[in-house]
Amino acid sequence: MSDSQRVNVRPGAPDDEDEGDPRRWKILGVCLAISFLTMMTVSIINVALPSITTSLSAGSLALQAMVSGYTLAFGLALVPTGRVGDAGHRRLIILISLGVFAAASVVSALATSDIVLAVARLVQGVAAGSMSPQGMGLTQQVFSWRERGRAFGFNGAIIGVSTTLGPVIGGGIIAAVGNEYGWRWIFGMTAVFALVVLGFAWRLVPADKPATGPVSLDAGGLTLISVMALALMMPFILTNGTNDDPQRWWWLVLAAACL
């Protein structure tokens, strides 16, 4: 090969000069919106807990479930739905998850008891954990290797900013609307946000291309990692600062065994 024919190719990079999907930056906008929505919802409820306690007479365990339950459900959904997305069903999972997330947000906003709100938060967490890996996979799919680092950098920045802004946004809504109904408007806002993102996802996310042939989901591995995540989180979900049972820490032994 002559010197003029030599090119510098990053190890593992494609040999062609494919620049990715022509709509990749618009698609990235959808992925960033999903990351912002799912991570903002982790922290936005923190400032609403006093209002929820007063409005619904919520107990400490129910409040803990609203906070930690979302995170737990989020973590449990990540791996199996990410695997299904990799098998060629990213668009379907994104659309369904956004719809379920919006519905759970509406139920949260209209909740008449702490139990209803805690269950709705669990559903929110499952939906968030289902759509989150699809955004990462979609970014990998539509960008060429040359631009992938910048795209993932934007996503990392959005995750950090959204988690920080969650309490600020929630506090602003409560200050504007009032303690009695402010927490309901918080969930109403997330429902509207999810529906807006759903509209853009419907237009911009590429059609699914299911993998040909059988796809193994490794049921044994998925079960182990799910039980591990559950066991790892349970001691903290069961901790409310009042007469906590020390036996709850035995859950960590089960987590270590699954690991």
Side-chain angles (χ1 to χ4, degrees), residues 9 12 52 73 76 81 102 111 113 130 148 152 186 193 203 209-211 213 216-217 224 229 237 246 250:
V9 179
I52 293 172
L76 290 176
T81 57
S113 72
S130 298
R148 237 171 249 155
F152 282 121
I186 287 175
F193 194 155
R203 293 182 54 191
K209 295 180 180 178
S216 172
L217 296 180
L224 283 173
I237 294 176
W250 283 104

Side-chain angles (χ1 to χ4, degrees), residues 7-253:
V7 292
N8 293 322
V9 179
R10 183 179 63 86
D15 293 333
D16 59 90
E17 294 297 323
D18 180 22
E19 292 300 323
D21 192 296
R23 299 183 303 168
R24 60 193 179 278
W25 292 107
K26 293 180 179 180
I27 296 172
L28 178 64
V30 173
C31 298
L32 296 182
I34 288 174
S35 293
F36 187 91
L37 175 64
T38 56
M39 299 311 298
M40 175 190 66
T41 309
V42 173
S43 59
I44 197 171
I45 194 176
N46 293 341
V47 295
L49 294 179
S51 301
I52 293 172
T53 302
T54 302
S55 180
L56 300 179
S57 300
S60 58
L61 188 59
L63 292 174
Q64 189 72 2
M66 294 173 199
V67 177
S68 301
Y70 177 94
T71 307
L72 173 62
F74 187 104
L76 290 176
L78 281 174
V79 175
T81 57
R83 182 69 185 93
V84 174
D86 289 342
H89 303 285
R90 289 197 180 102
R91 175 185 168 87
L92 178 62
I93 295 177
I94 287 175
L95 297 180
I96 291 177
S97 298
L98 284 168
V100 171
F101 189 96
S105 297
V106 171
V107 172
S108 297
L110 301 176
T112 56
S113 72
D114 55 351
I115 300 300
V116 171
L117 182 52
V119 172
R121 283 282 293 176
L122 285 173
V123 175
Q124 265 191 333
V126 172
S130 298
M131 69 176 96
S132 183
Q134 313 315 323
M136 302 293 287
L138 194 56
T139 301
Q140 177 82 10
Q141 174 183 326
V142 300
F143 280 90
S144 69
W145 67 268
R146 298 178 185 277
E147 295 178 322
R148 237 171 249 155
R150 185 158 47 139
F152 282 121
F154 285 137
N155 189 72
I158 285 293
I159 290 174
V161 169
S162 59
T163 304
T164 304
L165 286 181
V168 177
I169 296 172
I173 293 175
I174 291 176
V177 180
N179 289 328
E180 185 176 359
Y181 296 106
W183 67 270
R184 297 185 184 275
W185 280 86
I186 287 175
F187 291 112
M189 181 272 294
T190 59
V192 172
F193 194 155
L195 290 175
V196 171
V197 178
L198 176 60
F200 281 101
W202 181 272
R203 293 182 54 191
L204 295 173
V205 174
D208 288 334
K209 295 180 180 178
T212 58
V215 177
S216 172
L217 296 180
D218 185 13
L222 291 177
T223 300
L224 283 173
I225 196 170
S226 298
V227 174
M228 183 188 72
L230 175 64
L232 189 62
M233 290 293 297
M234 281 302 294
F236 305 100
I237 294 176
L238 297 175
T239 300
N240 55 41
T242 305
N243 297 322
D244 293 325
D245 184 357
Q247 298 295 323
R248 70 192 186 281
W249 297 111
W250 283 104
W251 282 97
L252 297 181
V253 177

